[in-house]
Each structure stands twice: as C-alpha cells, then as structure tokens.
C-alpha cells in the first residue's frame, strides 16, 4: 500500500486533517485502532471555537452543525449564590458554537465515506518506521495479517495513549505535566438544559458545569475525588450534589432524569515538545492535553490540524517546506496559551484539597475582580472564544 500522508488515529484530529487534505487533492489513509462504532460512542467535548467552525466549513462538513449547533454569545460564572455573565458579543464580538464532538466525528466520517477516503479500522500494532528519513512507512496488523503502508509524511493523530509520540526518541522529547488532584464526573441526560448558556460554578462544595447538546439533551459535570468511580455516583447522588453546587434559582429549575451516559475524566495539563521529528508530525491529544475547564482540548487539536494542513499544502502545491519546518514552533505558541488559560480557569473554579484560608480569599477576590472588571472579562472572553490561528 502507498499514500502521500499516513494518518494514525481516526478521532477528530485525524478525520479533520484527512478531509482537508482530500479537499486539496492530497491522498491520505487513516489507520484507526478501534471500530468506528467505538469511536462514535465517545462522549467528549461540546464547545467549538469560531476557528474550528471555519475549518469545518473549509472541509465541507458544516451543514448539520449549522442546522443543529447552538450559537452562544456568552457563559455564566457562578460563585456561591452570585452569578454573572461574560458577554462575548459585547466584549470580543465573537460567539462559540455548542455542538458535540460526537456529532463532529459523525459528520467527518460521513464526508470521508462520500469522498471515498480510505480508513482502516481495527488496525493493530501500528508502528512507525523511517520517520527521520525520506521514505517513511507504517506497519500494522489487520485481521491477523501484517501490513505495510508506504508514505511521504506521517500525521500522528492517535491521542494521548497512541504510538506516535513515543516514536520521537526520548532524548529529543521534553515533556511538561501537571496532574490535578480531582476529576470530573460527567452525566448525559435526556432533559432540557438548566440554562440557555453554559454555567461554570465555583461553590464551597466544589466545581460544577451545566452544559448541553440539544434542546432535550443536557451534559453536566461535578468535580469529584480521583479515587471515585461512576458506580460511586448513583443518579440521585449526582443530582443532589449538582444542585448543592448551583445558585438556588438554577437548582430549583433543574430538570433531573435518568443518566444515559456516566463517566469520570481525570484532569491533566500536558505538553510534549517538539511536535515533529523528520516526516512525523503530531496533532491534538497525541502531543498535548488540557483540563476541560476552558473547553480547549478539541479546539487546540483543530488549530494543529490547520497549521499542518497548510504546511502540507504549501509543500505539495509549490515545494515550499518553510511551513513544515516551522510547524512545531507555530502550533506550540498557540497551545501554550490554551494551556495557560485552561490552567487559570481550573484554578479559578475548583476547590483544591490543600487550599488554605488565604488561598480561598485570593480565589474569592479573583472571582470578585472578574465579576466587576470589563478588562478581566474581556481577557476571559478572548481566550474562551479562541485566540487567532
Ligand atoms: P482522540 O483521543 O480523540 O483520538 C485519537 C484516536 O486515535 C482514537 O480514535 C484512538 O482510538 C486512536 N488511536 C489511539 N492509539 C492508536 C494506535 N496506536 N493506532 C491507531 N489508532 C490509535 N475536550 C474539550 O474541549 N471539552 C471536554 O469536555 C472534553 N472532555 C473530554 C473527556 C475525556 C474522557 C477525554 C479523554 C477527553 C476530553 N476532551 C475534552 C478532550 C478531547 O475532546 C480531545 O481534545 C479530542 O478528542 C482530541 O482529539 P484527537 O487529537 O483526535 O484525539
Ligand atoms: C461539554 O459540553 O462537554 C463541555 C463544555 C464546556 C467545557 C467542558 C465540557 O469547558
């Protein structure tokens, strides 16, 4: 088998890159470890920056998102009983779009099918060879048969636990990590959202987030100990705890119902540098992770894809390799600002086990300053809607 670009990973990064390359006439093959059903069964991100939305337009897969996505012009921040709105339109004149990652992935798979893109699911034992030379290739096992895919470039879009990042020699990699002492217990329920826009709540009992997917499909999270499992959170306990962490008027109108999905995600900040080695280029979670507080995970994957698609296009269109050479530095510049914002939002809104009385006073002052300062709110807004690519 041969292709121009071998893409490892059929999540949002791999699928979006594959679609953009196909639109540009650059042949590519996606190798995905799991089944399509497994990939589409993941419940993850829900908020898209304008840059992501524009990439979906460019990829020709935005029709359903335009029909079914919600345009949000702000978010609410709650601190105890106090709640104030960050008005994106007034502050930065840009919105975000609420449209689940699951739907993004579904739309990208449908477009790839229509364009006749090759995706090999259940590709096992993926291994990268010759990435630091001019003739890289990928080996993998499919239905027990050993296979080889020769290519000109490899895009490592295989997430945090993938095979791509470890291919870069350890002595060339610099990894930066911060693990948070709590996780997010997430619930999906077929109930109307508690609020028209998202509510991020910092309460004395811990963090909570009210989000949504559709008119009658809500997504909620509460901060929980890392030692917890979903079994520790029967629905009644989840709803009681969520209400405890929301301002009374919101708690009173909250419509509860049976959970149709329940999971706990640990929170981590992580960056691996560089994002390229020879003809291997990393995108998305393969290279970096953020705590979901700032809704940046999926959105930083999108800006990586934008930069790599542009660089590969410059190479194949006119033999220009400057963007390829500068890919890692360009992507990391935006990634580190998203890491900072996600770290800041996480510290602003969560209860940390070792917080002292002084720490709590500083957190309260930070929230009070945010509630009353247009400058502080503008800084949050421009990061939340997405810094320029
Ligand atoms: P992904 O991990 O999505 O996709 C990688 C793909 O590669 C997977 O399909 C995997 O099966 C495949 N793969 C892995 N190893 C392979 C191998 N060796 N060979 C072939 N294929 C391989 N972000 C937000 O913005 N908001 C959120 O609320 C949010 N919640 C999250 C909850 C959880 C539990 C997790 C894990 C992440 C969450 N994220 C959230 C971040 C998430 O949305 C990621 O940023 C996004 O999935 C990144 O997409 P990819 O880079 O494509 O990585
Ligand atoms: C979600 O809807 O899943 C979501 C929204 C915003 C976040 C994190 C998760 O910051």
């Amino acid at each position: 088998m041969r292709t121009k670009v071998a893409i490892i990973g059929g999540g949002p990064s791999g699928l979006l890159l594959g679609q953009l390359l196909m639109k540009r006439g650059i042949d590519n093959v996606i190798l995905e470890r799991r089944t399509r059903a497994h990939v589409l069964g993941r419940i993850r991100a829900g908020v898209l920056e304008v840059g992501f939305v524009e990439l979906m337009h460019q990829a020709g897969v935005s029709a359903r998102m335009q029909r079914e996505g919600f345009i949000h012009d702000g978010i609410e921040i709650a601190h105890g009983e106090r709640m104030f709105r960050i008005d994106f339109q007034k502050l930065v004149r840009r919105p975000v779009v609420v449209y689940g990652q699951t739907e993004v992935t579904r739309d990208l798979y449908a477009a790839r099918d229509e364009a006749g893109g090759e995706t090999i699911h259940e590709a096992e034992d993926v291994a990268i060879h010759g990435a630091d030379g001019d003739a890289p290739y990928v080996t993998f096992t499919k239905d027990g048969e050993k296979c080889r895919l020769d290519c000109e470039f490899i895009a490592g879009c295989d997430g945090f636990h993938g095979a791509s990042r470890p291919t870069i020699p350890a002595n060339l990699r610099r990894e930066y990590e911060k693990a948070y002492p709590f996780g997010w217990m997430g619930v999906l329920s077929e109930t109307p959202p508690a609020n028209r826009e998202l509510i991020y709540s910092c309460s004395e009992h811990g963090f909570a987030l009210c989000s949504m997917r559709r008119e009658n499909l809500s997504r909620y999270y509460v901060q929980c100990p890392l030692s917890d499992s979903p079994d520790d959170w029967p629905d009644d306990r989840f709803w009681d705890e969520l209400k405890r962490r929301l301002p009374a008027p919101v708690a009173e109108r909250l419509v509860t119902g049976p959970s149709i999905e329940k999971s706990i995600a640990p929170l981590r900040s992580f960056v691996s540098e560089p994002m390229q080695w020879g003809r291997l280029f990393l995108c998305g979670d393969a290279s970096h992770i953020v705590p979901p507080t700032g809704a940046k995970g999926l959105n930083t994957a999108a800006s990586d894809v934008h930069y790599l698609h542009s660089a590969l296009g410059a190479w194949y269109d006119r033999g220009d390799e400057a963007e390829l050479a500068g890919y890692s530095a360009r992507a990391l510049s935006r990634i580190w600002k998203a890491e900072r914002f996600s770290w800041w939002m996480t510290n602003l809104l969560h209860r940390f086990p070792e917080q002292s009385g002084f720490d709590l006073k500083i957190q309260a002052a930070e929230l009070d300053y945010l509630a009353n300062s247009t400058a502080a709110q503008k800084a949050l807004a421009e990061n939340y809607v997405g810094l320029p690519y």
Side-chain angles (χ1 to χ4, degrees):
M1 290 171 72
R2 168 168 284 280
T3 188
K4 284 194 165 66
V5 182
I7 298 174
I8 302 176
S13 295
L15 289 164
L16 183 56
L17 178 64
Q19 185 62 16
L20 289 166
L21 291 176
M22 275 200 293
K23 294 284 278 186
R24 201 157 181 166
I26 299 172
D27 183 60
N28 63 87
V29 172
I30 293 180
L31 301 177
E32 165 55 50
R33 176 163 65 182
R34 311 303 292 262
T35 64
R36 180 184 294 204
H38 182 96
V39 175
L40 289 172
R42 293 180 185 133
I43 307 293
R44 286 188 180 168
V47 172
L48 306 183
E49 296 173 353
V50 168
F52 195 121
V53 171
E54 282 161 9
L55 272 183
M56 293 283 279
H57 286 315
Q58 193 181 330
V61 294
S62 60
R64 192 161 74 99
M65 178 184 63
Q66 280 181 302
R67 286 198 311 272
E68 299 177 14
F70 294 130
I71 294 176
H72 280 202
D73 290 325
I75 56 172
E76 299 281 355
I77 304 281
H79 182 213
E81 285 303 314
R82 179 192 211 174
M83 191 155 89
F84 56 94
R85 183 165 183 264
I86 307 294
D87 185 336
F88 298 151
Q89 280 304 341
K90 183 185 77 177
L91 294 161
V92 294
R93 290 186 301 285
R94 278 186 298 156
V96 292
V97 171
V98 173
Y99 187 68
Q101 175 174 323
T102 310
E103 306 318 314
V104 167
T105 310
R106 193 183 312 281
D107 295 341
L108 286 165
Y109 265 121
R112 189 166 181 85
D113 291 346
E114 194 177 322
E118 185 170 5
T119 308
I120 299 174
H121 284 96
E122 298 179 281
E124 297 176 318
D125 314 317
V126 167
I128 295 167
H129 309 271
D132 56 339
D134 293 335
Y137 63 96
V138 181
T139 56
F140 61 98
T141 305
K142 171 69 176 169
D143 301 332
E145 187 187 332
K146 291 199 179 304
C147 306
R148 169 172 168 146
L149 175 62
D150 288 283
C151 55
E152 294 167 8
F153 295 97
I154 300 166
C157 302
D158 47 354
F160 184 70
H161 301 291
S164 299
R165 185 173 71 250
T167 301
I168 300 177
N171 66 313
L172 299 179
R173 267 186 285 134
R174 298 177 303 281
E175 297 190 351
Y176 305 87
E177 182 160 19
K178 181 179 189 56
Y180 297 87
F182 40 73
W184 280 16
M185 168 67 220
V187 157
L188 201 60
S189 62
E190 289 172 330
T191 54
N195 197 58
R196 196 173 51 82
E197 294 173 332
L198 273 65
I199 301 176
Y200 288 83
S201 179
C202 174
S203 89
E204 61 181 316
H205 307 293
F207 170 81
L209 171 61
C210 300
S211 185
M212 73 284 293
R213 292 290 180 274
R214 289 192 293 275
E215 276 84 6
N216 201 45
L217 189 61
S218 295
R219 181 72 170 161
Y220 294 106
Y221 299 94
V222 295
Q223 170 186 350
C224 69
L226 277 174
S227 53
D228 279 6
S229 79
D231 294 341
D232 296 319
W233 288 87
D235 287 0
D236 288 348
R237 179 189 177 199
F238 180 84
W239 294 121
D240 289 346
E241 191 57 31
L242 177 64
K243 288 179 180 177
R244 224 157 64 110
R245 300 185 184 187
L246 296 171
V250 180
E252 281 155 20
R253 67 172 184 258
L254 187 83
V255 177
T256 64
S259 58
I260 59 172
E261 193 273 347
K262 194 179 277 188
S263 54
I264 291 182
L267 269 63
R268 172 193 287 127
S269 297
F270 174 85
V271 179
S272 178
E273 297 183 355
M275 291 177 63
Q276 66 189 94
W277 181 57
R279 295 198 170 213
L280 170 62
F281 296 83
L282 305 184
C283 286
D285 280 17
S287 164
H288 45 81
I289 299 284
V290 284
T293 326
K296 291 293 158 236
L298 184 57
N299 291 299
T300 43
S303 49
D304 292 348
V305 165
H306 166 76
Y307 299 136
L308 184 54
H309 161 245
S310 174
L312 289 167
W315 168 257
Y316 282 109
D317 291 354
R318 50 187 189 277
D320 177 351
E321 62 181 344
E323 283 188 53
L324 282 172
Y327 166 74
S328 183
R330 190 180 181 198
L332 284 167
S333 169
R334 189 174 191 273
I335 285 157
W336 274 111
K337 291 193 262 296
E339 291 283 344
R340 181 210 67 83
F341 176 66
S342 304
W343 164 85
W344 176 78
M345 279 278 275
T346 301
N347 280 278
L348 178 73
L349 297 167
H350 289 76
R351 277 283 188 269
F352 286 72
E354 76 289 352
Q355 265 176 320
S356 67
F358 175 81
D359 296 334
L360 290 170
K361 282 295 204 183
I362 290 296
Q363 189 178 44
E366 183 87 42
L367 283 158
D368 190 30
Y369 172 58
L370 184 63
N372 294 292
S373 163
T374 301
Q377 292 187 10
K378 186 167 183 172
L380 189 159
E382 75 168 348
N383 280 280
Y384 194 92
V385 302
L387 297 177
Y389 281 9

